[in-house]
Amino acid sequence: MLGIWLEKEHLSLRDDLPIPTPPKGEALIRVLKAGVCATDNALARGYYPYTGILGHEFVGVVESEGEWKGARVCGEINAVCGQCEQCLNGRRTHCDNRTTLGIINRHGAFADYLTLPFENLRPVPESISDDEATFTEPLAAALEIQQQIQVKPTDRVIVIGDGRLGMLCAQTLALTGCDLLVLGRYPAKLDLLAARGIRTALADDAPRARADIVVECTGKLPSFELAQRLTRPRGTLVLKSSYVGRVPADLASAMVNEITILGSRCGPFAPALDLLARKWVDVQPLIHARFPLNEGLAAMAKAQEKGILKVLVEVSRL
Amino acid sequence: MLGIWLEKEHLSLRDDLPIPTPPKGEALIRVLKAGVCATDNALARGYYPYTGILGHEFVGVVESEGEWKGARVCGEINAVCGQCEQCLNGRRTHCDNRTTLGIINRHGAFADYLTLPFENLRPVPESISDDEATFTEPLAAALEIQQQIQVKPTDRVIVIGDGRLGMLCAQTLALTGCDLLVLGRYPAKLDLLAARGIRTALADDAPRARADIVVECTGKLPSFELAQRLTRPRGTLVLKSSYVGRVPADLASAMVNEITILGSRCGPFAPALDLLARKWVDVQPLIHARFPLNEGLAAMAKAQEKGILKVLVEVSRL
């Protein structure tokens, strides 16, 4: 089968990959579409050593025989042991023995087929299109913020970043009724949020007033510093993005201001699917480009261009 | 009067300082004893620009006429405006307009006299000795941890550092009934904790098992990295110490492991005095040296020696 292969920081389109044979407890899934995430390109730059097929945001169809056969699904990307200290304490996405689709020891979604444990599968309601369904995983990651901390309707919240994840965090945080401001660099993207009644500003025009919660969605040092400056004493700075290498952090000011710096990663799929089904989050305008799988390398390159939001890799049709 | 003066990173003993005239709402306090804190020496090294008399851990006697006259007191070190956003939201130690005894725009306790607002004063119960009372401020800082986060009796907690603050955090955290381990470098100091039934180990023999809560009390990069390594997924790393300059932090792993990094500074005085009065915290063995005020520079130098815990500056007698 066809797939986008990463090995030693080198990407290639391979047509010699075997269709995987699902181990016991796992389903064979034919991929319909998959989204390119910043993490995919970070992995290609060596953010974390990984060899295999990339891609973890997908919608597909179960091919395995049984009750799931033919179901249109997305899937939790962490396959877990269920027996380690993390799993037994309800922290399954942190399983000590986890594999992660297209990220840790598990071939990903930029391919004709993938496998995932049946327990990871989530049926996609009919009202959710294939395009929309590819956003389930990043939307779940955005919702992880509210899973971790309480966002009060009276809280002042600032999202830094108008990239893919920033646009999703902005939309999910807006649903809390909080006093939200999104800082970005691209008027065209900020306009998409403004059209939904979300207050935006260019990052260079960041306000002086500090916020209760600041969500850093860029993974870049100047934004981290801006986030620290914008977090009020005893406020929370959410790290929602990957940082490559060490970040020279001003921990003294975090101590003096008693700031909480909170790492935030994978989130809950069920509410993400609910929000997509109810159309309370609008992901369609975030799709900026589409490529067939055999142009997957171009898809990944496109996703790195400035101002580009979601790029979809179209693999097959239902 | 006599005082230890800091100016442009230069320390001096001065005998030409005027006895302060307390502004309206403030008390004149004759200092009995004062403790040397790591922050004092950090300020002397330029951690934060400050010009004036150093020292913020003290016990003294009110000299001003009125109901407080003659009272033996310690004092909250942050003098606040009561009107800014921080004050009005119960974050008085973060007052936007605060002055802080011996740290920010307010002369400190290494002198014959100091002034503080009457509202900052806390009477010291008779059962607490002058020696013990000088520990009220750092003990309150240790208690700030439990003021900020819940420490469950079943939590695994690791304190890194057997310095002054680490020894106090260890004792207050032990009172929660948590599963506590203190990592240090000095067997003699760790033995003081072991004598109270607190489990200890040398930092080089740090366990592999991760903890729910790790409290970093050294302000040093290797300890911060050890703290990150020892914090379990979704656990909390408490920053209890000052860091000079930027710290190259591994924020990517904080994000992946969804760790909470929590800055922690000044804490509540009332419970600190309660614990001292009940003798549930033992501070006497932490006193390693005493100097009269006219040898205050030697006191500050002594406090920087390896393995030295609390150094007291003895100013006057009741």
Side-chain angles (χ1 to χ4, degrees):
Chain A
M1 67 174 188
L2 211 56
I4 306 292
W5 187 266
L6 174 65
E7 188 166 349
K8 293 178 183 155
E9 302 186 26
H10 176 74
L11 285 170
S12 60
L13 176 73
R14 286 179 60 172
D15 61 4
D16 62 342
L17 299 168
I19 294 177
T21 306
K24 188 166 178 298
E26 296 203 8
L28 180 68
I29 296 159
R30 178 162 58 86
V31 178
L32 295 171
K33 298 183 182 185
V36 181
C37 169
T39 301
D40 299 321
N41 278 308
L43 286 167
R45 287 192 303 270
Y47 156 64
Y48 181 90
Y50 171 68
T51 297
I53 300 166
L54 281 173
H56 57 274
E57 304 174 356
F58 77 96
V59 59
V61 179
V62 178
E63 298 255 316
S64 303
E65 297 299 327
E67 56 179 326
W68 281 93
K69 184 168 171 109
R72 196 167 59 115
V73 297
C74 54
E76 296 255 10
I77 66 176
N78 298 288
V80 305
C81 73
Q83 296 174 343
C84 70
E85 181 185 330
Q86 311 310 327
C87 285
L88 295 177
N89 283 282
R91 301 187 292 266
R92 289 167 64 93
T93 56
H94 292 276
C95 169
D96 291 329
N97 307 305
R98 71 185 179 273
T99 59
T100 306
L101 192 71
I103 298 175
I104 304 174
N105 294 330
R106 174 175 287 273
H107 292 307
F110 297 155
D112 291 314
Y113 295 91
L114 61 83
T115 73
L116 264 185
F118 283 103
E119 67 178 9
N120 283 42
L121 304 185
R122 301 290 177 270
V124 176
E126 268 194 35
S127 62
I128 299 176
S129 71
D130 290 350
D131 278 3
E132 291 168 328
T134 60
F135 285 86
T136 311
E137 195 277 338
L139 191 59
L143 288 170
E144 177 70 354
I145 298 170
Q146 287 97 305
Q147 192 73 12
Q148 294 176 287
I149 57 169
Q150 181 187 19
V151 180
K152 298 180 193 168
T154 56
D155 277 341
R156 277 199 309 246
V157 179
I158 295 176
V159 170
I160 301 179
D162 53 10
R164 295 173 272 268
L165 194 53
M167 299 291 278
L168 295 177
C169 289
Q171 291 195 53
T172 48
L173 286 165
L175 295 173
T176 67
C178 69
D179 175 4
L180 179 64
L181 172 68
V182 180
L183 299 176
R185 298 223 167 269
Y186 299 91
K189 295 199 272 183
L190 295 177
D191 286 349
L192 292 176
L193 296 174
R196 294 181 71 79
I198 294 171
R199 198 156 54 96
T200 67
L202 291 170
D204 293 336
D205 302 329
R208 295 190 54 158
R210 292 176 291 186
D212 302 289
I213 298 167
V214 178
V215 182
E216 207 299 283
C217 295
T218 75
K220 298 196 168 72
L221 175 60
S223 297
F224 175 74
E225 296 193 332
L226 177 62
Q228 253 200 306
R229 183 160 63 75
L230 288 175
T231 307
R232 70 150 166 86
R234 292 201 187 137
T236 300
L237 192 174
V238 181
L239 301 177
K240 201 58 239 182
S241 197
S242 306
Y243 293 82
V244 178
R246 299 287 167 136
V247 176
D250 180 5
L251 295 185
S253 104
M255 189 278 279
V256 168
N257 291 319
E258 297 194 310
I259 284 173
T260 295
I261 300 173
L262 175 67
S264 180
R265 185 169 43 94
C266 297
F269 271 50
L273 285 164
D274 274 357
L275 290 180
L276 287 171
R278 292 178 202 157
K279 313 298 173 193
W280 288 357
V281 170
D282 189 13
V283 296
Q284 207 66 45
L286 307 188
I287 301 172
H288 276 187
R290 298 160 187 278
F291 292 82
L293 178 57
N294 62 15
E295 294 174 24
L297 298 181
M300 287 192 60
K302 185 74 180 174
Q304 290 196 86
E305 289 180 13
K306 278 189 192 301
I308 293 297
L309 286 169
K310 188 57 74 182
V311 175
L312 294 186
V313 176
E314 301 187 316
V315 180
S316 67
R317 286 169 186 273
L318 196 59
Chain B
M1 67 175 188
L2 212 55
I4 306 291
W5 186 266
L6 174 65
E7 188 165 351
K8 293 179 184 159
E9 303 187 24
H10 177 74
L11 284 170
S12 60
L13 176 74
R14 286 178 61 172
D15 60 5
D16 61 343
L17 299 168
I19 294 177
T21 305
K24 189 165 179 297
E26 296 203 8
L28 179 68
I29 295 159
R30 179 161 58 85
V31 179
L32 295 171
K33 297 183 182 186
V36 181
C37 169
T39 301
D40 300 321
N41 277 308
L43 286 167
R45 287 192 303 271
Y47 157 63
Y48 181 89
Y50 172 68
T51 296
I53 300 167
L54 281 172
H56 56 272
E57 304 174 356
F58 77 95
V59 59
V61 179
V62 178
E63 299 254 316
S64 303
E65 296 300 324
E67 58 180 327
W68 281 93
K69 184 168 171 108
R72 196 167 59 115
V73 297
C74 54
E76 295 255 10
I77 66 176
N78 298 287
V80 306
C81 74
Q83 296 175 342
C84 71
E85 181 184 329
Q86 311 310 326
C87 285
L88 295 176
N89 282 282
R91 301 188 292 268
R92 290 167 64 94
T93 57
H94 293 277
C95 168
D96 291 329
N97 307 305
R98 71 184 179 274
T99 59
T100 306
L101 192 71
I103 298 175
I104 304 173
N105 294 333
R106 173 176 286 274
H107 293 308
F110 296 155
D112 290 315
Y113 294 91
L114 62 82
T115 73
L116 264 185
F118 282 104
E119 67 178 9
N120 283 42
L121 304 185
R122 301 289 177 272
V124 176
E126 267 193 34
S127 61
I128 299 176
S129 71
D130 290 349
D131 278 2
E132 291 169 328
T134 61
F135 284 86
T136 311
E137 195 278 337
L139 192 59
L143 288 170
E144 176 70 354
I145 298 170
Q146 287 97 303
Q147 192 72 13
Q148 293 176 288
I149 58 169
Q150 182 188 19
V151 180
K152 297 179 193 168
T154 56
D155 277 341
R156 276 200 311 245
V157 179
I158 294 176
V159 170
I160 301 179
D162 53 10
R164 295 174 273 268
L165 194 54
M167 298 292 278
L168 295 177
C169 289
Q171 291 194 52
T172 48
L173 285 165
L175 295 173
T176 67
C178 69
D179 176 3
L180 179 64
L181 172 68
V182 180
L183 298 176
R185 299 223 167 268
Y186 299 92
K189 294 199 272 183
L190 295 177
D191 286 349
L192 292 176
L193 297 174
R196 295 181 70 78
I198 294 172
R199 199 156 54 95
T200 66
L202 291 171
D204 292 337
D205 301 330
R208 295 190 53 158
R210 291 177 291 187
D212 302 289
I213 298 167
V214 178
V215 182
E216 206 298 283
C217 296
T218 75
K220 298 196 169 72
L221 175 61
S223 296
F224 175 74
E225 296 192 332
L226 177 62
Q228 253 200 305
R229 183 159 65 73
L230 288 175
T231 307
R232 69 149 166 87
R234 292 200 188 138
T236 300
L237 193 176
V238 180
L239 301 177
K240 202 57 238 183
S241 197
S242 305
Y243 294 82
V244 178
R246 299 284 166 139
V247 176
D250 181 5
L251 296 185
S253 104
M255 189 277 281
V256 168
N257 290 319
E258 298 193 312
I259 284 173
T260 295
I261 300 173
L262 175 67
S264 180
R265 185 169 44 95
C266 296
F269 271 50
L273 285 166
D274 273 358
L275 290 181
L276 287 171
R278 292 178 203 159
K279 313 298 173 194
W280 287 357
V281 170
D282 189 13
V283 296
Q284 207 66 46
L286 307 188
I287 301 172
H288 276 188
R290 299 162 187 277
F291 292 82
L293 178 58
N294 62 16
E295 294 174 26
L297 298 180
M300 289 191 60
K302 185 74 179 175
Q304 290 194 86
E305 288 180 16
K306 278 188 192 299
I308 292 297
L309 286 168
K310 188 58 73 182
V311 175
L312 294 187
V313 176
E314 301 188 316
V315 181
S316 66
R317 286 169 188 272
L318 196 56

